[in-house]
Amino acid sequence: DTGVSQDPRHKITKRGQNVTFRCDPISEHNRLYWYRQTLGQGPEFLTYFQNEAQLEKSRLLSDRFSAERPKGSFSTLEIQRTEQGDSAMYLCASSLNVELDFGPGTRLTVT
Amino acid sequence: RKEVEQDPGPFNVPEGATVAFNCTYSNSASQSFFWYRQDCRKEPKLLMSVYSSGNEDGRFTAQLNRASQYISLLIRDSKLSDSATYLCALYTSNSNSGYALNFGKGTSLLVTP
């Protein structure tokens, strides 16, 4: 296992469409996080899973956003009815403890 | 007040210079502190953890000042390859977010020939 992977790496979509991103964490990591990062900002926490349980959601995560980690392994983040303000880099990270390992991110552009 | 604050820079320094960044935090319950490095359009990568006693890794020295609630990163003998954004991150045990880290906006460093 060489690290956290994310797919796709880039996504261009039209406003109003739904998009889904996938994250495969480091296999022995039981914690998985989603972050969002826009230009000039640091990563902002969206949600956190311990195994398959989603334990925390940021208020940044509107009702249009949903995340799952069905078997405690990979995770998906879905955005429904995308808006231009959703354009950002979506980063997944995994950890065993406090040190997070990030994936390469999915860059979303909403036109 | 934002929980983690950094001077965004940019810091432009010549090769070989010493440069230091500070990061202030507002929550005194913060327990663990880190510096991440992020290259343009890449993911953040852990540079070093910051320990209470201060720690050094080659040309990099990190310090924590709990009384004044800031951490610092010192880079000696700057290299061109040090050009990046340096993100301060901290973990606060009273959050419900597992070990989710709270990040600053980052400080941009450009090392010039």
Side-chain angles (χ1 to χ4, degrees), chain A residues 3-4 13 18 23-24 26 43 55 57 60 63-67 70 82 86-87 94 96 99-100 102 109 111:
Chain A
V4 180
T13 192
N18 299 344
C23 170
D24 286 88
I26 293 172
L55 297 184
K57 291 170 63 171
L60 291 175
D63 291 345
R64 298 183 297 105
F65 288 70
S66 62
T82 52
D86 297 331
S87 295
S94 68
L96 272 178
E99 295 179 2
L100 302 190
F102 282 90
T109 303
T111 62

Side-chain angles (χ1 to χ4, degrees), chain A residues 99, chain B residues 32-35 46-51 54-56 62-63:
Chain A
E99 295 179 2
Chain B
S32 302
F33 305 87
F34 306 89
W35 284 102
L46 180 65
L47 178 65
M48 57 197 303
S49 303
V50 186
Y51 303 123
N55 49 300
E56 188 174 306
Q63 302 236 320

Side-chain angles (χ1 to χ4, degrees), chain A residues 10-22:
Chain A
H10 303 275
K11 178 71 177 178
I12 300 174
T13 192
K14 292 186 176 180
R15 189 176 54 193
Q17 297 295 303
N18 299 344
V19 293
T20 300
F21 310 142
R22 177 180 170 125

Side-chain angles (χ1 to χ4, degrees), chain B residues 77-96:
Chain B
D77 188 23
S78 300
K79 311 291 185 192
L80 296 177
S81 58
D82 294 334
S83 298
T85 296
Y86 291 83
L87 296 161
C88 162
L90 56 90
Y91 160 66
T92 304
S93 62
N94 61 2
S95 76
N96 294 320

Side-chain angles (χ1 to χ4, degrees), chain A:
Chain A
D1 193 326
T2 56
V4 180
S5 62
Q6 292 187 245
D7 183 70
R9 296 290 303 277
H10 303 275
K11 178 71 177 178
I12 300 174
T13 192
K14 292 186 176 180
R15 189 176 54 193
Q17 297 295 303
N18 299 344
V19 293
T20 300
F21 310 142
R22 177 180 170 125
C23 170
D24 286 88
I26 293 172
S27 55
E28 52 273 25
H29 288 181
N30 60 343
R31 295 184 174 88
L32 186 148
Y33 310 81
W34 285 98
Y35 283 80
R36 180 173 68 189
Q37 187 175 26
T38 54
L39 194 62
Q41 304 294 316
E44 296 175 297
F45 170 75
L46 292 179
T47 190
Y48 153 67
F49 290 85
Q50 182 160 329
N51 301 312
E52 67 275 9
Q54 187 175 19
L55 297 184
E56 182 67 11
K57 291 170 63 171
S58 162
R59 60 180 178 274
L60 291 175
L61 215 64
S62 76
D63 291 345
R64 298 183 297 105
F65 288 70
S66 62
E68 294 183 343
R69 193 182 183 198
K71 297 181 181 177
S73 57
F74 73 92
S75 175
T76 58
L77 178 69
E78 181 183 15
I79 309 174
Q80 296 182 325
R81 305 181 303 281
T82 52
E83 301 172 356
Q84 287 188 312
D86 297 331
S87 295
M89 173 78 90
Y90 290 85
L91 292 161
C92 176
S94 68
S95 77
L96 272 178
N97 47 40
V98 195
E99 295 179 2
L100 302 190
D101 290 298
F102 282 90
T106 294
R107 184 169 297 280
L108 173 66
T109 303
V110 182
T111 62

Side-chain angles (χ1 to χ4, degrees), chain B:
Chain B
R1 178 184 169 188
K2 193 167 170 56
E3 189 167 340
V4 185
E5 296 203 50
Q6 296 182 253
D7 180 347
F11 284 60
N12 294 326
V13 302
E15 264 187 296
T18 295
V19 62
F21 313 133
N22 280 348
C23 167
T24 59
Y25 62 95
S26 59
N27 190 335
S28 59
S30 299
Q31 286 187 308
S32 302
F33 305 87
F34 306 89
W35 284 102
Y36 277 75
R37 171 195 168 125
Q38 186 170 29
D39 293 296
C40 187
R41 302 182 78 84
K42 300 284 191 182
E43 74 272 24
K45 291 186 188 292
L46 180 65
L47 178 65
M48 57 197 303
S49 303
V50 186
Y51 303 123
S52 296
S53 54
N55 49 300
E56 188 174 306
D57 183 2
R59 297 181 294 107
F60 298 83
T61 300
Q63 302 236 320
L64 166 63
N65 186 318
R66 284 194 184 275
S68 301
Q69 295 186 199
Y70 74 87
I71 66 171
S72 63
L73 177 68
L74 181 80
I75 306 175
R76 289 181 298 279
D77 188 23
S78 300
K79 311 291 185 192
L80 296 177
S81 58
D82 294 334
S83 298
T85 296
Y86 291 83
L87 296 161
C88 162
L90 56 90
Y91 160 66
T92 304
S93 62
N94 61 2
S95 76
N96 294 320
S97 308
Y99 288 123
L101 297 179
N102 194 351
F103 286 85
K105 291 186 178 183
T107 297
S108 176
L109 171 66
L110 179 62
V111 181
T112 56

